[in-house]
Amino acid sequence: MTRRERQELIDKGLLLPLMEEFYTIQGEGFHKGTAAYFVRIGGCDVGCHWCDVKESWLAELHPPTATEKIVDNAVKYSNTIIVTGGEPLTWDMGPLTAQLKAKGVQTHIETSGAYKLTGEWDWICLSPKKMKLPTKEVYEKAHELKCIIYNNDDFKFAEEQAEKVNGDCILYLQPEWSKRDKVIPKIVDYVMDHPKWKVSLQTHKYLNIP
């Protein structure tokens, strides 16, 4: 396959830069505690300074992998498939989710929402970032809004984001892991004062699982 042919397949979403895939327990948000198969797609230029998967940023570090292969691996383990990154919406998610839905599984995505929404999703977890805000469509279709709290300014940002999502979207505040001891008491107080929000924790890190 020539470089041009490979790039055409990548552009069509038929090849995706696969960083890793694994079967584990969803640790965050509404579906925490659920067994799920994670597919981590490389490539992200949003650039969160506290990102805990910075090795996902450069797509060229991760092998272009056929969506058929990704799907075949995933459905062996679970009927809940979570696509994360990196920023998966950097790529066309249509072919991947079409093949997953043909297998009868649930498709979830974790995204900053910064790019066009592609793919067919049963659950959209939107975690917006200040550097590149979500698109209008992602705000409208998100099932949960997960705002990461690193410092006090993030509460204001979270409220700004909450005003943009649909009325059925579940609202979560989640401590940035390295600052958890400092910000968890603030989040608890904030949620008690603003009960439209819920607390989300990275329970998989407490459980010491991927």
mmCIF file with all atom_site columns, all heavy atoms in Angstrom, residues 191-203:
data_model
loop_
_atom_site.group_PDB
_atom_site.id
_atom_site.type_symbol
_atom_site.label_atom_id
_atom_site.label_alt_id
_atom_site.label_comp_id
_atom_site.label_asym_id
_atom_site.label_entity_id
_atom_site.label_seq_id
_atom_site.pdbx_PDB_ins_code
_atom_site.Cartn_x
_atom_site.Cartn_y
_atom_site.Cartn_z
_atom_site.occupancy
_atom_site.B_iso_or_equiv
_atom_site.pdbx_formal_charge
_atom_site.auth_seq_id
_atom_site.auth_comp_id
_atom_site.auth_asym_id
_atom_site.auth_atom_id
_atom_site.pdbx_PDB_model_num
ATOM 1   N N   . VAL A 1 191 ? -21.106 21.061 44.971 1.00 0.00 ? 191 VAL A N   1
ATOM 2   C CA  . VAL A 1 191 ? -22.249 20.244 44.576 1.00 0.00 ? 191 VAL A CA  1
ATOM 3   C C   . VAL A 1 191 ? -23.367 20.343 45.608 1.00 0.00 ? 191 VAL A C   1
ATOM 4   O O   . VAL A 1 191 ? -24.559 20.357 45.259 1.00 0.00 ? 191 VAL A O   1
ATOM 5   C CB  . VAL A 1 191 ? -21.804 18.782 44.355 1.00 0.00 ? 191 VAL A CB  1
ATOM 6   C CG1 . VAL A 1 191 ? -23.015 17.860 44.200 1.00 0.00 ? 191 VAL A CG1 1
ATOM 7   C CG2 . VAL A 1 191 ? -20.896 18.684 43.135 1.00 0.00 ? 191 VAL A CG2 1
ATOM 8   N N   . MET A 1 192 ? -23.006 20.443 46.868 1.00 0.00 ? 192 MET A N   1
ATOM 9   C CA  . MET A 1 192 ? -24.030 20.605 47.895 1.00 0.00 ? 192 MET A CA  1
ATOM 10  C C   . MET A 1 192 ? -24.744 21.945 47.755 1.00 0.00 ? 192 MET A C   1
ATOM 11  O O   . MET A 1 192 ? -25.946 22.048 48.024 1.00 0.00 ? 192 MET A O   1
ATOM 12  C CB  . MET A 1 192 ? -23.402 20.454 49.280 1.00 0.00 ? 192 MET A CB  1
ATOM 13  C CG  . MET A 1 192 ? -22.929 19.031 49.560 1.00 0.00 ? 192 MET A CG  1
ATOM 14  S SD  . MET A 1 192 ? -22.090 18.826 51.139 1.00 0.00 ? 192 MET A SD  1
ATOM 15  C CE  . MET A 1 192 ? -23.460 19.011 52.280 1.00 0.00 ? 192 MET A CE  1
ATOM 16  N N   . ASP A 1 193 ? -24.020 22.959 47.319 1.00 0.00 ? 193 ASP A N   1
ATOM 17  C CA  . ASP A 1 193 ? -24.621 24.279 47.096 1.00 0.00 ? 193 ASP A CA  1
ATOM 18  C C   . ASP A 1 193 ? -25.318 24.379 45.745 1.00 0.00 ? 193 ASP A C   1
ATOM 19  O O   . ASP A 1 193 ? -26.202 25.226 45.557 1.00 0.00 ? 193 ASP A O   1
ATOM 20  C CB  . ASP A 1 193 ? -23.547 25.373 47.183 1.00 0.00 ? 193 ASP A CB  1
ATOM 21  C CG  . ASP A 1 193 ? -23.045 25.600 48.602 1.00 0.00 ? 193 ASP A CG  1
ATOM 22  O OD1 . ASP A 1 193 ? -23.768 25.223 49.549 1.00 0.00 ? 193 ASP A OD1 1
ATOM 23  O OD2 . ASP A 1 193 ? -21.923 26.128 48.755 1.00 0.00 ? 193 ASP A OD2 1
ATOM 24  N N   . HIS A 1 194 ? -24.914 23.529 44.789 1.00 0.00 ? 194 HIS A N   1
ATOM 25  C CA  . HIS A 1 194 ? -25.470 23.565 43.431 1.00 0.00 ? 194 HIS A CA  1
ATOM 26  C C   . HIS A 1 194 ? -25.826 22.130 43.037 1.00 0.00 ? 194 HIS A C   1
ATOM 27  O O   . HIS A 1 194 ? -25.109 21.484 42.262 1.00 0.00 ? 194 HIS A O   1
ATOM 28  C CB  . HIS A 1 194 ? -24.452 24.149 42.444 1.00 0.00 ? 194 HIS A CB  1
ATOM 29  C CG  . HIS A 1 194 ? -23.936 25.500 42.819 1.00 0.00 ? 194 HIS A CG  1
ATOM 30  N ND1 . HIS A 1 194 ? -22.907 25.676 43.723 1.00 0.00 ? 194 HIS A ND1 1
ATOM 31  C CD2 . HIS A 1 194 ? -24.303 26.741 42.414 1.00 0.00 ? 194 HIS A CD2 1
ATOM 32  C CE1 . HIS A 1 194 ? -22.669 26.973 43.849 1.00 0.00 ? 194 HIS A CE1 1
ATOM 33  N NE2 . HIS A 1 194 ? -23.502 27.635 43.068 1.00 0.00 ? 194 HIS A NE2 1
ATOM 34  N N   . PRO A 1 195 ? -26.925 21.589 43.565 1.00 0.00 ? 195 PRO A N   1
ATOM 35  C CA  . PRO A 1 195 ? -27.225 20.155 43.434 1.00 0.00 ? 195 PRO A CA  1
ATOM 36  C C   . PRO A 1 195 ? -27.606 19.691 42.033 1.00 0.00 ? 195 PRO A C   1
ATOM 37  O O   . PRO A 1 195 ? -27.872 18.494 41.847 1.00 0.00 ? 195 PRO A O   1
ATOM 38  C CB  . PRO A 1 195 ? -28.375 19.952 44.431 1.00 0.00 ? 195 PRO A CB  1
ATOM 39  C CG  . PRO A 1 195 ? -28.977 21.303 44.610 1.00 0.00 ? 195 PRO A CG  1
ATOM 40  C CD  . PRO A 1 195 ? -27.861 22.280 44.471 1.00 0.00 ? 195 PRO A CD  1
ATOM 41  N N   . LYS A 1 196 ? -27.615 20.577 41.048 1.00 0.00 ? 196 LYS A N   1
ATOM 42  C CA  . LYS A 1 196 ? -27.806 20.105 39.663 1.00 0.00 ? 196 LYS A CA  1
ATOM 43  C C   . LYS A 1 196 ? -26.571 19.307 39.209 1.00 0.00 ? 196 LYS A C   1
ATOM 44  O O   . LYS A 1 196 ? -26.644 18.505 38.280 1.00 0.00 ? 196 LYS A O   1
ATOM 45  C CB  . LYS A 1 196 ? -28.035 21.279 38.707 1.00 0.00 ? 196 LYS A CB  1
ATOM 46  C CG  . LYS A 1 196 ? -26.821 22.190 38.517 1.00 0.00 ? 196 LYS A CG  1
ATOM 47  C CD  . LYS A 1 196 ? -27.116 23.331 37.560 1.00 0.00 ? 196 LYS A CD  1
ATOM 48  C CE  . LYS A 1 196 ? -25.896 24.229 37.349 1.00 0.00 ? 196 LYS A CE  1
ATOM 49  N NZ  . LYS A 1 196 ? -26.169 25.349 36.431 1.00 0.00 ? 196 LYS A NZ  1
ATOM 50  N N   . TRP A 1 197 ? -25.435 19.539 39.900 1.00 0.00 ? 197 TRP A N   1
ATOM 51  C CA  . TRP A 1 197 ? -24.199 18.836 39.593 1.00 0.00 ? 197 TRP A CA  1
ATOM 52  C C   . TRP A 1 197 ? -24.082 17.559 40.407 1.00 0.00 ? 197 TRP A C   1
ATOM 53  O O   . TRP A 1 197 ? -24.636 17.448 41.494 1.00 0.00 ? 197 TRP A O   1
ATOM 54  C CB  . TRP A 1 197 ? -22.990 19.723 39.898 1.00 0.00 ? 197 TRP A CB  1
ATOM 55  C CG  . TRP A 1 197 ? -22.845 20.901 38.986 1.00 0.00 ? 197 TRP A CG  1
ATOM 56  C CD1 . TRP A 1 197 ? -23.282 22.183 39.221 1.00 0.00 ? 197 TRP A CD1 1
ATOM 57  C CD2 . TRP A 1 197 ? -22.213 20.920 37.701 1.00 0.00 ? 197 TRP A CD2 1
ATOM 58  N NE1 . TRP A 1 197 ? -22.966 22.991 38.163 1.00 0.00 ? 197 TRP A NE1 1
ATOM 59  C CE2 . TRP A 1 197 ? -22.308 22.245 37.211 1.00 0.00 ? 197 TRP A CE2 1
ATOM 60  C CE3 . TRP A 1 197 ? -21.581 19.951 36.918 1.00 0.00 ? 197 TRP A CE3 1
ATOM 61  C CZ2 . TRP A 1 197 ? -21.792 22.618 35.969 1.00 0.00 ? 197 TRP A CZ2 1
ATOM 62  C CZ3 . TRP A 1 197 ? -21.067 20.319 35.685 1.00 0.00 ? 197 TRP A CZ3 1
ATOM 63  C CH2 . TRP A 1 197 ? -21.174 21.634 35.222 1.00 0.00 ? 197 TRP A CH2 1
ATOM 64  N N   . LYS A 1 198 ? -23.312 16.599 39.881 1.00 0.00 ? 198 LYS A N   1
ATOM 65  C CA  . LYS A 1 198 ? -22.948 15.397 40.600 1.00 0.00 ? 198 LYS A CA  1
ATOM 66  C C   . LYS A 1 198 ? -21.422 15.304 40.643 1.00 0.00 ? 198 LYS A C   1
ATOM 67  O O   . LYS A 1 198 ? -20.732 15.908 39.825 1.00 0.00 ? 198 LYS A O   1
ATOM 68  C CB  . LYS A 1 198 ? -23.509 14.146 39.904 1.00 0.00 ? 198 LYS A CB  1
ATOM 69  C CG  . LYS A 1 198 ? -25.032 14.117 39.786 1.00 0.00 ? 198 LYS A CG  1
ATOM 70  C CD  . LYS A 1 198 ? -25.478 12.878 39.037 1.00 0.00 ? 198 LYS A CD  1
ATOM 71  C CE  . LYS A 1 198 ? -26.976 12.881 38.815 1.00 0.00 ? 198 LYS A CE  1
ATOM 72  N NZ  . LYS A 1 198 ? -27.718 12.759 40.074 1.00 0.00 ? 198 LYS A NZ  1
ATOM 73  N N   . VAL A 1 199 ? -20.916 14.531 41.601 1.00 0.00 ? 199 VAL A N   1
ATOM 74  C CA  . VAL A 1 199 ? -19.467 14.319 41.711 1.00 0.00 ? 199 VAL A CA  1
ATOM 75  C C   . VAL A 1 199 ? -19.091 13.079 40.905 1.00 0.00 ? 199 VAL A C   1
ATOM 76  O O   . VAL A 1 199 ? -19.722 12.038 41.022 1.00 0.00 ? 199 VAL A O   1
ATOM 77  C CB  . VAL A 1 199 ? -19.043 14.127 43.178 1.00 0.00 ? 199 VAL A CB  1
ATOM 78  C CG1 . VAL A 1 199 ? -17.537 13.859 43.260 1.00 0.00 ? 199 VAL A CG1 1
ATOM 79  C CG2 . VAL A 1 199 ? -19.412 15.350 44.014 1.00 0.00 ? 199 VAL A CG2 1
ATOM 80  N N   . SER A 1 200 ? -18.054 13.214 40.089 1.00 0.00 ? 200 SER A N   1
ATOM 81  C CA  . SER A 1 200 ? -17.476 12.065 39.395 1.00 0.00 ? 200 SER A CA  1
ATOM 82  C C   . SER A 1 200 ? -16.044 11.885 39.881 1.00 0.00 ? 200 SER A C   1
ATOM 83  O O   . SER A 1 200 ? -15.296 12.868 39.992 1.00 0.00 ? 200 SER A O   1
ATOM 84  C CB  . SER A 1 200 ? -17.488 12.272 37.878 1.00 0.00 ? 200 SER A CB  1
ATOM 85  O OG  . SER A 1 200 ? -16.797 11.217 37.220 1.00 0.00 ? 200 SER A OG  1
ATOM 86  N N   . LEU A 1 201 ? -15.683 10.654 40.183 1.00 0.00 ? 201 LEU A N   1
ATOM 87  C CA  . LEU A 1 201 ? -14.313 10.335 40.587 1.00 0.00 ? 201 LEU A CA  1
ATOM 88  C C   . LEU A 1 201 ? -13.720 9.321  39.620 1.00 0.00 ? 201 LEU A C   1
ATOM 89  O O   . LEU A 1 201 ? -14.443 8.531  39.019 1.00 0.00 ? 201 LEU A O   1
ATOM 90  C CB  . LEU A 1 201 ? -14.291 9.757  42.005 1.00 0.00 ? 201 LEU A CB  1
ATOM 91  C CG  . LEU A 1 201 ? -14.761 10.663 43.130 1.00 0.00 ? 201 LEU A CG  1
ATOM 92  C CD1 . LEU A 1 201 ? -14.802 9.881  44.448 1.00 0.00 ? 201 LEU A CD1 1
ATOM 93  C CD2 . LEU A 1 201 ? -13.847 11.874 43.271 1.00 0.00 ? 201 LEU A CD2 1
ATOM 94  N N   . GLN A 1 202 ? -12.415 9.344  39.475 1.00 0.00 ? 202 GLN A N   1
ATOM 95  C CA  . GLN A 1 202 ? -11.741 8.345  38.649 1.00 0.00 ? 202 GLN A CA  1
ATOM 96  C C   . GLN A 1 202 ? -11.555 7.074  39.485 1.00 0.00 ? 202 GLN A C   1
ATOM 97  O O   . GLN A 1 202 ? -10.466 6.753  39.948 1.00 0.00 ? 202 GLN A O   1
ATOM 98  C CB  . GLN A 1 202 ? -10.407 8.893  38.147 1.00 0.00 ? 202 GLN A CB  1
ATOM 99  C CG  . GLN A 1 202 ? -10.586 10.031 37.145 1.00 0.00 ? 202 GLN A CG  1
ATOM 100 C CD  . GLN A 1 202 ? -9.253  10.576 36.665 1.00 0.00 ? 202 GLN A CD  1
ATOM 101 O OE1 . GLN A 1 202 ? -8.503  11.169 37.446 1.00 0.00 ? 202 GLN A OE1 1
ATOM 102 N NE2 . GLN A 1 202 ? -8.948  10.375 35.397 1.00 0.00 ? 202 GLN A NE2 1
ATOM 103 N N   . THR A 1 203 ? -12.659 6.356  39.640 1.00 0.00 ? 203 THR A N   1
ATOM 104 C CA  . THR A 1 203 ? -12.644 5.217  40.550 1.00 0.00 ? 203 THR A CA  1
ATOM 105 C C   . THR A 1 203 ? -11.691 4.114  40.083 1.00 0.00 ? 203 THR A C   1
ATOM 106 O O   . THR A 1 203 ? -11.183 3.350  40.905 1.00 0.00 ? 203 THR A O   1
ATOM 107 C CB  . THR A 1 203 ? -14.062 4.630  40.712 1.00 0.00 ? 203 THR A CB  1
ATOM 108 O OG1 . THR A 1 203 ? -14.568 4.256  39.422 1.00 0.00 ? 203 THR A OG1 1
ATOM 109 C CG2 . THR A 1 203 ? -14.989 5.647  41.339 1.00 0.00 ? 203 THR A CG2 1
#
